[in-house]
Amino acid sequence: MKFIAEIDVMPLKALLDPQGRAVTSVLKNMGMPEFENVRIGKHVTLEVESDSEANAKVKVEEACKNLLANPIMESFHYSIKAN
Amino acid sequence: MKFIAEIDVMPLKALLDPQGRAVTSVLKNMGMPEFENVRIGKHVTLEVESDSEANAKVKVEEACKNLLANPIMESFHYSIKAN
Amino acid sequence: MEAIAKEIKVNVETARQLGLSEDEFQKIVTILGRTPNYTELSIYSVMWSEHCSYKNSIYWIKTLPREGKGLLAKAGEENAGLIDIGNGYACAFKIESHNHPSALEPYQGAATGVGGINRDIFTMGARPIAQLNSLRFGNINTDKTKWLMKGVVRGIGHYGNAFGVPTVGGEVFFDECYNVNPLVNAMSVGIVKVGETISATSYGEGNPVIIIGSSTGKDGIHGATFASADITEDSAESLPSVQVGDPFQEKLLLEASLEIIKTGAVVGMQDMGAAGIICSTSEMSAKGQSGMNIWLDKVPLRQQNMQPFEILLSESQERMLVIVKKGREKEVEAILEKWDLHYAVIGEVTNGDRLKYYVHGELVADVPAETLVLGGGAPVYHREFKEPQYYREFQKFDIDTIKEPSNYKEIADYLLTHPNIASKRWVYEQYDSMVGTVNMSSNKPSDAAIVNIKKSDSALALKVDCNSRYVYADPHKGGAIAVSEAARNIVCSGGEPMAITNCLNFGNPYNPEVYWQFVEAIKGIGEACTEFNTPVTGGNVSFYNQSSYEGPVFPTPVIGMLGIIKNKNKVMTLDFKNEGDLIYLIGECYNDISSSEYLYSWHNVKEAPAPHFDLSEEYEVQFAVKEVIEKNLVESAHDCSDGGLFITLAESAMAGKLGFDIDTDTSIRKDAFLFGEGQS
Amino acid sequence: MLKFGVVVVPGSNCDHDTIYVLKHIYKQDAVPLWHKTSDLQGCDAIIVPGGFSYGDYLRAGALARYSPMMNAVAEFAKNGGIVVGICNGFQILCEAGLLPGALLLNTQPHSGINYSCKNIHLIAENDNTALTTGIPKGKALTIPIAHGEGRYFADAETLEKLNKNGQIIFRYCDEKGKITPDSNPNGSLENIAGICNETKNVFGMMPHPERASDEHLGNTDGKYILSALVKTVQARKAERLVVS
């Protein structure tokens, strides 16, 4: 069975997010002062072949830990649904 | 009132996504052949000050259209919740 | 901000926990005349750490020659060495290491290394115009090395390219000994009009102390010998384990810094490197023989409830400290606002030499500046050293034990494709080498990187060099070779060697055999610098580069050399030019293959002395080559180095899209003649 | 003597180079135009230089378009003024809608690395635009590139219009001038290296002609392009003086 995973990989809260900081200040200069604390990470979508949702979860967890997210710098969470 | 917006900005389906392609092949080389069609975009979180959720939505829509996403190459969708 | 540090019992045990020895703790008690409080103890622990005080190396570093022609700022006086290069211009240049952060997180480790070294240059008022880097990794076939290298090269590329300073040269070297602990050394070179530099000093009662740039977070606090996890209430989750560099903020800092210096309203400026605020406030105050009152609650913070010691020790990137003349703040602040830079007045200069740190009016630390700094009260140690066993063994190598090969073509192919010798285009094409339109070597390669000084008729010749295999085999000779080879490259480019900076990467100084490598290498470097009259203008020491189970990494004193080409139309390139030109080999040939890539990798014989080297012979050869080039008698010049004569000829041939036809010297073995790495 | 305006946005790196080259090699006047102002100082033509405006954060060029100066540049372009975007400048002009299409992440055909700085060859599509007049037909110029997001993209309809109106000014080619897939350094559609708008007064190109103008650096093919620009702006200025 094919499952679709949506994964968000964000920089750890304690770390400086240079990209988020730059976008926040530009939004303010564009006349949208009501925006604060922009943080930018990655949104990853992928398809995974697996016999059950549980196994699909295990595989996605492994992919996140080993490749998609750098544990030193990033945290991740994901949702999985059948295709 | 403060609202939190979660925005996903993804490359248009029609476009070749070199990052997604590279990650798909690396996953396969790492012994995870069951992954297909990885696509990588941006996950943006931000806080927006607004008197109502409806107005907050209007502002986030405007920020996405004018800055956070480039319609020529990206599509976006977002969710908003009170802080 | 719940500011006051919890009252933590301070005793010898707490001191040891913070990396201070018992007698260092006693010394602090004597200086203050009382037991230090926790914040004061953490101040001393970071200022007397190896990283900031050089306590285990300063004694020997001072033996290096520091006088020489055109030297405007001697080593240790300023953030970077300063050399007069004529036409009213001076050149500031320095090399520094970021080895341990890069081993943890290669991309950010290397990126922040580039950021740090460039700040050392523009904090003096010089505009960085060129960068080089020296990288060493383990076995190229391991996944770990591939991961480390990809991250490091991308980090240097992203930061350097976005910051807008061209990467014009460098070296990449692979050896097992660096498997776990890569070496990432970054060098930056800047130009400033003589007399327009700014010093890292602070004086003038009442002058405001201003912090500029990024807000302060809990970055790198345990980077400076600190184990504080159990002391703060926050969970470890709030302790960022790595520093994140922002090249865009650095570009704003560069342009703003150069602009505020021109107003003449700046008394002194220093970038925030290791140990952030405490290091800059203490070093500037000690240099200016003055004190400071600092209000830590005024420091812009990126994270909530930071303890006073966390604010003082934070190593958040892209921050500067500036002392402005009282009454002229507005001029400076207007420029900072122009460049959208955050700033805040966090203190004032006082007479005397006390540094007083307050939080909401309450005194949290009161220490004398002089006692904190290198050259002041910081301890200086003489470590014991002992010649290691392997050194004797290596000298016993006998060339006759190596059978002369029959198939030379096979060896030539092997060496030409060896990662240490093959072209590094796949690396340097990821760096912007052309921004600034000064790189004269992009289309016409020379041994050294040639950088055009636009408003004058001269050019700079730049090189980073070190064969750590020679230094391991014989630190004294290896150190001298590192300097000589850098000089050789500059001479072959038509330049005149002027001065060096160095990055001394060694193992654990408390290991007597490692310290022997350090002392012998320093002696070799000193002798060569004296011979070539290239003084040491400063640099950096990086100890504790260990490859956990295999002992220390090779001793690696990387030399960054600056040379001048008085007439930029007389740059010498390395490519063969015309068919029929004669090829001269200058210097003696020896029956010597010791420590060559050929012996080490092809024959897999790793125990051998350093190759033949004679300092005065080396000087004579270089002097002759310099004259021959000045008199326009040659079409190209290229130095023999890794891989031997054959590789040198092949490089010149390929660059000129020509071949070559030579006769070998029958008086010595053919493999020694072609692949031996006897120097000069 | 003409006066060129070079837009300076936080993160621009090639503004100094562009001003230096225009002044010392092309003997024209060149002034920096600070992004926070909207005063074009009476410049005859505007150049949006290369660099990493706003650190290339979010998308290369995305954050730079919202500034008073870029609004003034858009106005200047609407009135027929000549505007040239080089590398990051090209990305900014696309993001600002002054040029069609977008510059995406490179798809290096053979390696995963995206950023690269090296010499490439390009060929002028015609010789009747401000950047191409006088370039000998079929001549391959050696011009350096230095970017990570230079893959030109436009939807089929826009691409067709670009071809029909002669809005494609440069394409990547090999050293003999042949347009081949291997000579495409970033995966751009149809090897496109530079385009212009319909009224042929706004230009964008990824390669850096200002980095190939100073003979000290060993390559002056950039002179073909920037001399063409100077000649065209001079001609336009002379025309305007006659008319007004």
Side-chain angles (χ1 to χ4, degrees):
Chain A
M1 274 203 324
K2 189 176 274 187
F3 293 85
I4 307 283
E6 303 245 1
I7 305 158
D8 289 331
V9 178
M10 293 301 285
L12 293 174
K13 278 269 175 307
L15 291 185
L16 168 70
D17 173 13
Q19 194 163 210
R21 173 172 65 180
V23 171
T24 309
S25 70
V26 167
L27 279 171
K28 288 187 190 304
N29 298 345
M30 282 166 63
M32 294 197 234
E34 55 279 2
F35 286 100
E36 279 303 337
N37 195 7
V38 176
R39 292 183 71 75
I40 300 179
K42 292 190 272 280
H43 183 69
V44 181
T45 62
L46 53 80
E47 293 153 15
V48 53
E49 194 54 48
S50 174
D51 46 20
S52 74
E53 181 161 330
N55 283 350
K57 260 211 172 77
V58 167
K59 288 211 180 72
V60 168
E61 181 83 19
E62 198 194 329
C64 289
K65 282 216 174 73
N66 297 339
L67 184 67
L68 300 179
N70 173 350
I72 296 177
M73 312 260 310
E74 295 164 328
S75 63
F76 63 87
H77 61 268
Y78 54 85
S79 62
I80 291 183
K81 57 181 168 45
N83 185 2
Chain B
M1 272 207 312
K2 189 177 274 187
F3 293 85
I4 309 282
E6 302 247 358
I7 304 158
D8 290 328
V9 179
M10 293 302 287
L12 293 176
K13 278 272 179 301
L15 282 182
L16 171 66
D17 169 13
Q19 271 190 350
R21 182 179 64 175
V23 168
T24 309
S25 69
V26 168
L27 281 172
K28 288 193 186 316
N29 300 344
M30 285 167 67
M32 294 195 245
E34 54 282 358
F35 285 100
E36 280 306 334
N37 196 2
V38 176
R39 295 184 66 73
I40 299 180
K42 291 190 249 301
H43 183 70
V44 181
T45 63
L46 53 82
E47 295 153 12
V48 53
E49 192 57 47
S50 173
D51 45 23
S52 73
E53 182 161 326
N55 284 352
K57 258 206 175 72
V58 165
K59 289 211 178 77
V60 169
E61 181 81 18
E62 196 194 333
C64 289
K65 280 217 174 67
N66 295 343
L67 186 68
L68 300 179
N70 177 341
I72 295 177
M73 54 198 216
E74 291 163 332
S75 64
F76 64 87
H77 62 268
Y78 54 86
S79 63
I80 291 184
K81 56 178 170 43
N83 186 4
Chain C
M1 182 180 78
E2 163 262 306
I4 314 302
K6 272 194 315 190
E7 271 328 311
I8 300 141
K9 197 162 59 50
V10 169
N11 52 35
V12 174
E13 193 31 45
T14 354
R16 193 164 294 117
Q17 229 182 37
L18 306 188
L20 288 165
S21 66
E22 184 163 346
D23 44 31
E24 283 170 347
F25 177 67
Q26 291 314 336
K27 204 172 163 199
I28 298 167
V29 171
T30 344
I31 289 171
L32 298 181
R34 56 177 167 79
T35 308
N37 68 31
Y38 189 79
T39 304
E40 287 160 345
L41 187 65
S42 31
I43 286 173
Y44 276 98
S45 86
V46 74
M47 288 308 291
W48 286 7
S49 68
E50 186 64 48
H51 194 57
C52 294
S53 70
Y54 288 75
K55 57 189 174 190
N56 284 314
S57 56
I58 189 66
Y59 172 78
W60 285 101
I61 290 176
K62 281 222 171 96
T63 64
L64 292 168
R66 298 166 356 134
E67 305 288 336
K69 50 188 183 272
L71 206 56
L72 298 173
K74 285 228 296 294
E77 263 173 21
E78 289 299 347
N79 268 311
L82 202 61
I83 290 281
D84 186 341
I85 56 170
N87 301 98
Y89 283 95
C91 178
F93 69 109
K94 188 179 181 185
I95 189 167
E96 261 195 9
S97 67
H98 236 220
N99 307 337
H100 300 109
S102 301
L104 175 69
E105 164 39 35
Y107 184 95
Q108 288 299 342
T112 48
V114 170
I117 189 62
N118 277 295
R119 281 195 299 279
D120 276 348
I121 301 300
F122 69 74
T123 195
M124 293 176 64
R127 176 178 286 279
I129 60 165
Q131 296 180 92
L132 300 94
N133 58 66
S134 168
L135 309 177
R136 282 155 215 283
F137 298 103
N139 180 336
I140 198 169
N141 300 313
T142 61
D143 285 345
K144 171 124 184 158
T145 296
K146 287 178 187 157
W147 171 69
L148 278 171
M149 184 163 190
K150 194 171 169 211
V152 165
V153 170
R154 279 229 165 131
I156 291 175
H158 175 66
Y159 201 100
N161 302 343
F163 181 52
V165 175
T167 300
V168 296
E171 57 175 355
V172 184
F173 185 78
F174 302 93
D175 189 281
E176 300 280 334
C177 78
Y178 301 111
N179 273 346
V180 174
N181 191 129
L183 299 186
V184 177
N185 297 175
M187 175 171 167
S188 180
V189 181
I191 297 290
V192 60
K193 284 212 177 69
V194 177
E196 285 187 8
T197 53
I198 274 286
S199 187
T201 185
S202 163
Y203 52 81
E205 196 176 8
N207 283 338
V209 178
I210 301 178
I211 186 168
I212 305 176
S214 297
S215 339
T216 299
K218 298 180 181 177
D219 306 77
I221 292 202
H222 36 59
T225 65
F226 220 78
S228 59
D230 54 355
I231 286 143
T232 60
E233 305 86 11
D234 286 315
S235 68
E237 196 255 345
S238 84
L239 273 182
S241 55
V242 76
Q243 296 150 48
V244 177
D246 181 355
F248 171 51
Q249 182 82 190
E250 178 106 333
K251 172 71 173 171
L252 304 182
L253 271 181
L254 161 69
E255 300 301 341
S257 301
L258 297 183
E259 239 173 86
I260 61 175
I261 289 171
K262 289 208 171 46
T263 62
V266 172
V267 169
M269 178 151 67
Q270 169 138 333
D271 73 299
M272 302 255 196
I277 292 178
I278 183 58
C279 189
S280 43
T281 49
S282 52
E283 283 181 354
M284 292 174 86
S285 299
K287 192 169 172 59
Q289 271 114 35
S290 55
M292 275 186 192
N293 288 334
I294 297 289
W295 312 301
L296 292 177
D297 46 284
K298 294 275 196 305
V299 175
L301 299 180
R302 193 185 77 231
Q303 294 178 266
Q304 284 74 34
N305 46 52
M306 281 181 65
Q307 301 289 346
F309 69 84
E310 288 175 322
I311 298 171
L312 282 166
L313 269 56
S314 159
E315 298 189 354
S316 293
Q317 296 296 300
E318 288 97 25
R319 295 177 306 158
M320 310 280 286
L321 201 72
V322 184
I323 314 299
V324 176
K325 289 176 183 151
K326 188 144 193 54
R328 298 188 61 183
E329 296 89 326
K330 282 287 162 277
E331 286 172 70
V332 170
E333 285 164 6
I335 293 170
L336 299 176
E337 267 143 29
K338 167 188 170 184
W339 288 100
D340 300 324
L341 282 169
H342 293 296
Y343 62 89
V345 178
I346 61 166
E348 63 187 355
V349 178
T350 60
N351 283 339
D353 86 335
R354 301 301 290 203
L355 298 175
K356 295 180 189 277
Y357 299 91
Y358 298 87
V359 173
H360 296 307
E362 198 224 346
L363 185 61
V364 292
D366 177 0
V367 289
E370 191 61 24
T371 67
L372 293 170
V373 296
L374 162 70
V380 174
Y381 297 131
H382 305 260
R383 295 256 71 80
E384 49 140 344
F385 48 91
K386 174 165 78 59
E387 183 183 286
Q389 235 298 328
Y390 80 82
Y391 178 67
R392 276 274 164 272
E393 288 309 310
F394 277 28
Q395 310 311 322
K396 294 186 183 127
F397 169 74
D398 172 3
I399 192 167
D400 296 337
T401 59
I402 305 291
K403 201 160 74 47
E404 226 178 298
S406 51
N407 180 342
Y408 276 87
K409 187 182 170 313
E410 192 189 11
I411 299 171
D413 285 346
Y414 171 79
L415 286 177
L416 278 171
T417 56
H418 189 283
N420 284 342
I421 289 176
S423 158
K424 304 295 189 298
R425 176 201 307 271
W426 57 286
V427 172
Y428 65 72
E429 274 189 355
Q430 296 184 59
Y431 306 142
D432 187 342
S433 58
M434 301 182 193
V435 62
T437 55
V438 287
N439 187 345
M440 293 173 72
S441 305
S442 310
N443 299 301
K444 313 173 286 185
S446 301
D447 273 356
I450 310 300
V451 169
N452 184 18
I453 306 293
K454 284 181 178 167
K455 301 189 189 68
S456 84
D457 39 33
S458 60
L460 297 181
L462 304 167
K463 183 71 179 168
V464 277
D465 228 324
C466 175
N467 186 316
S468 48
R469 211 174 274 153
Y470 300 166
V471 183
Y472 178 60
D474 184 335
H476 191 106
K477 203 192 261 190
I481 289 176
V483 175
S484 310
E485 200 176 341
R488 207 183 309 147
N489 282 298
I490 284 175
V491 163
C492 287
S493 312
E496 163 82 28
M498 295 290 287
I500 71 162
T501 175
N502 57 36
C503 191
L504 307 174
N505 306 279
F506 287 80
N508 180 341
Y510 290 84
N511 169 341
E513 292 187 356
V514 168
Y515 208 74
W516 174 82
Q517 294 173 336
F518 176 74
V519 170
E520 286 301 315
I522 292 268
K523 285 183 186 161
I525 291 169
E527 272 163 32
C529 284
T530 310
E531 181 79 15
F532 290 104
N533 192 2
T534 50
V536 178
T537 62
N540 156 278
V541 172
S542 167
F543 279 133
Y544 303 105
N545 293 293
Q546 299 290 106
S547 44
S548 51
Y549 38 86
E550 296 141 4
V553 297
F554 282 164
T556 314
V558 175
I559 303 298
M561 186 175 277
L562 169 78
I564 304 284
I565 299 174
K566 293 229 170 14
N567 173 350
K568 69 179 81 171
N569 301 318
K570 283 197 148 179
V571 171
M572 183 45 63
T573 49
L574 60 85
D575 51 329
F576 286 156
K577 299 293 192 299
N578 325 298
E579 206 190 328
D581 283 354
L582 300 175
I583 302 173
Y584 284 81
L585 174 60
I586 300 172
E588 283 305 318
C589 283
Y590 294 90
N591 221 14
D592 178 345
I593 55 172
S594 304
S595 292
S596 62
E597 194 72 54
Y598 161 64
L599 179 67
Y600 190 92
S601 303
W602 175 261
H603 288 292
N604 204 4
V605 169
K606 303 212 182 329
E607 290 76 30
H612 166 79
F613 172 73
D614 176 300
L615 194 50
S616 48
E617 204 183 288
E618 175 78 30
Y619 187 79
E620 272 158 39
V621 166
Q622 290 196 21
F623 193 82
V625 171
K626 203 185 304 176
E627 237 185 295
V628 156
I629 291 176
E630 255 148 40
K631 291 193 169 68
N632 291 332
L633 300 175
V634 292
E635 292 286 349
S636 69
H638 191 17
D639 82 309
C640 289
S641 57
D642 296 356
L645 174 62
F646 176 78
I647 297 300
T648 305
L649 290 166
E651 284 167 349
S652 291
M654 285 188 277
K657 295 191 172 57
L658 287 166
F660 58 85
D661 179 359
I662 57 162
D663 324 321
T664 57
D665 176 341
T666 51
S667 70
I668 63 169
R669 282 173 51 147
K670 205 167 170 191
D671 56 355
F673 180 75
L674 289 177
F675 309 124
E677 294 178 15
Q679 299 294 302
S680 46
Chain D
M1 182 134 101
L2 298 171
K3 186 173 176 183
F4 284 85
V6 177
V7 175
V8 180
V9 176
S12 302
N13 295 332
C14 308
D15 45 327
H16 295 282
D17 304 348
T18 310
I19 290 172
Y20 173 80
V21 156
L22 284 169
K23 274 187 173 167
H24 296 280
I25 292 170
Y26 298 93
K27 306 300 179 203
Q28 306 297 325
D29 186 12
V31 294
L33 297 175
W34 180 241
H35 76 107
K36 284 188 178 173
T37 67
S38 46
D39 174 8
L40 295 180
Q41 299 176 26
C43 286
D44 300 305
I46 306 291
I47 295 187
V48 188
F52 280 72
S53 53
Y54 289 88
D56 264 7
Y57 290 137
L58 193 61
R59 291 179 310 278
L63 302 183
R65 57 179 279 210
Y66 291 104
S67 63
M69 180 47 67
M70 279 314 294
N71 297 339
V73 168
E75 201 49 38
F76 178 79
K78 208 156 90 243
N79 304 331
I82 290 183
V83 176
V84 178
I86 298 172
C87 197
N88 194 220
F90 185 13
Q91 294 158 338
I92 295 171
L93 293 178
C94 285
E95 283 281 339
L98 288 170
L99 282 174
L103 283 312
L104 310 182
L105 210 58
N106 293 357
T107 51
Q108 220 80 356
H110 33 73
S111 69
I113 311 163
N114 42 39
Y115 182 93
S116 73
C117 166
K118 59 186 177 185
N119 281 331
I120 50 91
H121 302 289
L122 56 79
I123 185 166
E125 186 82 344
N126 54 50
D127 70 351
N128 53 31
T129 72
L131 293 186
T132 55
T133 52
I135 298 181
K137 192 140 188 35
K139 179 168 176 50
L141 301 181
T142 304
I143 307 284
I145 57 166
H147 61 251
E149 292 174 52
R151 175 164 55 102
Y152 185 72
F153 167 79
D155 56 43
E157 192 207 332
T158 309
L159 188 59
E160 207 212 324
K161 222 169 66 185
L162 289 177
N163 275 305
K164 208 150 65 17
N165 299 345
Q167 286 176 247
I168 296 171
I169 53 175
F170 293 118
R171 291 183 199 270
Y172 300 113
C173 63
D174 62 20
E175 66 273 11
K176 294 191 208 60
K178 255 165 86 274
I179 296 165
T180 63
D182 274 354
S183 61
N184 184 339
N186 51 31
S188 285
L189 278 177
E190 297 185 4
N191 283 36
I192 291 174
I195 62 165
C196 63
N197 65 350
E198 265 176 272
T199 46
K200 300 217 160 94
N201 64 312
V202 177
F203 299 84
M205 65 185 294
M206 283 313 290
H208 286 264
E210 83 281 6
R211 293 183 176 189
S213 294
D214 182 343
E215 86 274 340
H216 282 307
L217 309 185
N219 173 16
T220 54
D221 276 6
K223 281 190 171 169
Y224 283 104
I225 298 169
L226 292 180
S227 309
L229 174 64
V230 170
K231 229 186 299 135
T232 310
V233 176
Q234 245 151 8
R236 288 264 180 101
K237 185 166 186 180
E239 244 168 57
R240 254 207 320 284
L241 293 179
V242 165
V243 164
S244 63

